[in-house]
Amino acid sequence: AIDSLQDMETLFQGIKLDEVTSSMTINASGFILLAFYVALAKKQGVNLRNISGTIQNDILKEYAARGTYIYPPKASMRIITDIFEWCAAEVPKWNTISISGYHIREAGSTAVQEIAFTLSNGKAYVKAALEKGLDINIFFKFFSFFFNAHNNLFEEVAKFRAARRMWAKIMKEMGATDAKAMMLRFHTQTGGSTLTAQQPYNNISRVTIQTLAAVLGGTQSLHTNGYDEALSLPTEEAAAIALRTQQIVAFESGAPDTVDPLAGSYFIETLTDEVESAAWRLIEKIDAMGGSVQAIEQGFIQDEIAKSA
C-alpha cells in the first residue's frame, strides 16, 4: 500500500525518477499519488521538468464501469482538469490521462460501445482542457487511450482502425492542426472477462488471438493476461507465457512488419466502416445530451452497457 511519502521512498529506493518513466493505473485518487511522486522527485533533487510517466486519471469511465469515485461527475472533472493545467506548467513531460475503454468493455459493452463511449469521454476532457486555456496542438500530444482486445479477431482490428480515424476527425473539428495532436496513441490489454476458470490452458490460445488483433490494429503497447487470471493472480509460469506470447507475435509472426497489414481487405475495410458508423450514431446521441458528463448524469451510458452485458 502507498499511503505516505515514506512508502513512496521505500518503493523507489535506489531509483532516480528522472531516469525512469512510471505508469500509474489510478483514477479518482490519482492526484494524491502524483503529489507523492512529485514530492519524492523534489526530495531527490530532480528537476520536475525531467520526470515523465502516466496517470490513468480517467474519472468518467468510473461512473460507467468501475465505481471507484467519491464526487459527482462535474466536481471530479474539475480535479482532472486542474491536474492537466498544473502538469502542463510544472511537469510538461507527464502524460496526464489515459482514457480507458478497457473497463467499459469488461463491464459488458460491445466493441462499438467501447470506442463510442471512450472517444466521447475523450471529447469531454478536451473541451474541459480547452476551457482551462490549454493549447490543443501542444497539450493533446500527451493524451493516450487504453483499449480492450477480445476474441473476434476481425471485429477487434476494425474497432482499432475505426477509433483512430474517428479521433483524428474529432480533434480536427475541435481545432487541432498539428498531426501529432490528432493521433490516437493507445495501449491494449487482452480481455480478462473472456478468460475461463474451466480448462484454463485454453486461455493461452485466447490471449494469442487477442494479442494478434491488437498488433494488427496498430497498438503502441500491450499487456497480455496470464492464463490463470480467472483463478488467481498470475503464477510465475503464467506471467512468463504471457510475455512469450508477445515475443512470439513480435519476432516470429511477421505481423508488426508493416503498419496496417489488413488494409485493403474488402472484409476489413467494410467492417471498419460499419463499426465507425455505428459508433458515430452513439456519439451523436451523447452529444445531443450535452456530452459525456451529462449522459453519465442521466444514466444513459450505464444503461447501454447494462443492456449489452
Side-chain angles (χ1 to χ4, degrees), residues 25-210:
T25 307
I26 191 164
N27 296 279
S29 53
F31 66 99
I32 299 170
L33 195 58
L34 180 59
F36 285 156
Y37 198 82
V38 167
L40 178 60
K42 288 181 175 179
K43 214 166 179 186
Q44 290 185 350
V46 169
N47 186 336
L48 296 187
R49 303 187 77 80
N50 293 332
I51 66 171
S52 60
T54 304
I55 47 174
Q56 193 165 92
N57 201 31
D58 174 9
I59 196 65
L60 292 178
K61 63 93 174 54
E62 297 295 322
Y63 300 97
R66 290 186 75 231
T68 59
Y69 57 86
I70 298 172
Y71 309 114
K74 285 177 183 172
S76 293
M77 281 291 284
R78 201 199 81 193
I79 296 173
I80 303 305
T81 52
D82 282 353
I83 294 170
F84 291 172
E85 186 177 37
W86 187 85
C87 286
E90 304 293 335
V91 196
K93 291 184 180 179
W94 197 265
N95 294 291
T96 52
I97 195 165
S98 177
I99 306 161
S100 179
Y102 184 87
H103 308 90
I104 290 170
R105 190 68 177 280
E106 291 293 282
S109 81
T110 65
V112 167
Q113 289 171 337
E114 179 189 351
I115 60 168
F117 297 154
T118 305
L119 298 184
S120 184
N121 288 349
K123 284 180 69 175
Y125 291 125
V126 172
K127 182 181 176 184
L130 292 175
E131 289 170 357
K132 287 279 190 180
L134 297 173
D135 188 327
I136 195 167
N137 285 317
I138 297 175
F139 182 76
F140 295 99
K141 292 177 184 177
F142 291 90
F143 264 41
S144 64
F145 290 81
F146 173 24
F147 290 116
N148 208 318
H150 276 212
N151 289 327
N152 188 323
L153 177 71
F154 298 117
E155 182 180 52
E156 294 300 296
V157 173
K159 177 189 77 179
F160 296 130
R161 297 175 85 248
R164 198 159 41 241
R165 292 197 315 214
M166 292 172 73
W167 186 245
K169 183 176 181 181
I170 287 168
M171 290 299 286
K172 190 170 185 179
E173 288 175 350
M174 297 189 83
T177 54
D178 188 314
K180 287 190 175 180
M182 302 180 209
M183 286 174 60
L184 183 86
R185 299 186 308 144
F186 68 96
H187 168 81
T188 306
Q189 181 175 338
T190 57
S193 64
T194 69
L195 306 185
T196 64
Q198 300 81 10
Q199 302 179 15
Y201 289 115
N202 291 343
N203 294 330
I204 297 171
S205 299
R206 294 185 178 100
V207 170
T208 302
I209 292 168
Q210 294 162 8

Side-chain angles (χ1 to χ4, degrees), residues 186-262:
F186 68 96
H187 168 81
T188 306
Q189 181 175 338
T190 57
S193 64
T194 69
L195 306 185
T196 64
Q198 300 81 10
Q199 302 179 15
Y201 289 115
N202 291 343
N203 294 330
I204 297 171
S205 299
R206 294 185 178 100
V207 170
T208 302
I209 292 168
Q210 294 162 8
T211 298
L212 192 59
V215 172
L216 293 174
T219 194
Q220 276 75 53
S221 66
L222 184 63
H223 171 136
T224 40
N225 289 347
Y227 70 80
D228 53 2
E229 168 132 340
L231 298 167
S232 66
L233 290 174
T235 58
E236 189 170 337
E237 178 193 43
I241 290 172
L243 173 61
R244 298 292 175 254
T245 300
Q246 289 204 38
Q247 291 168 329
I248 290 167
V249 171
F251 302 115
E252 297 181 25
S253 74
D257 292 350
T258 187
V259 172
D260 192 358
L262 299 182

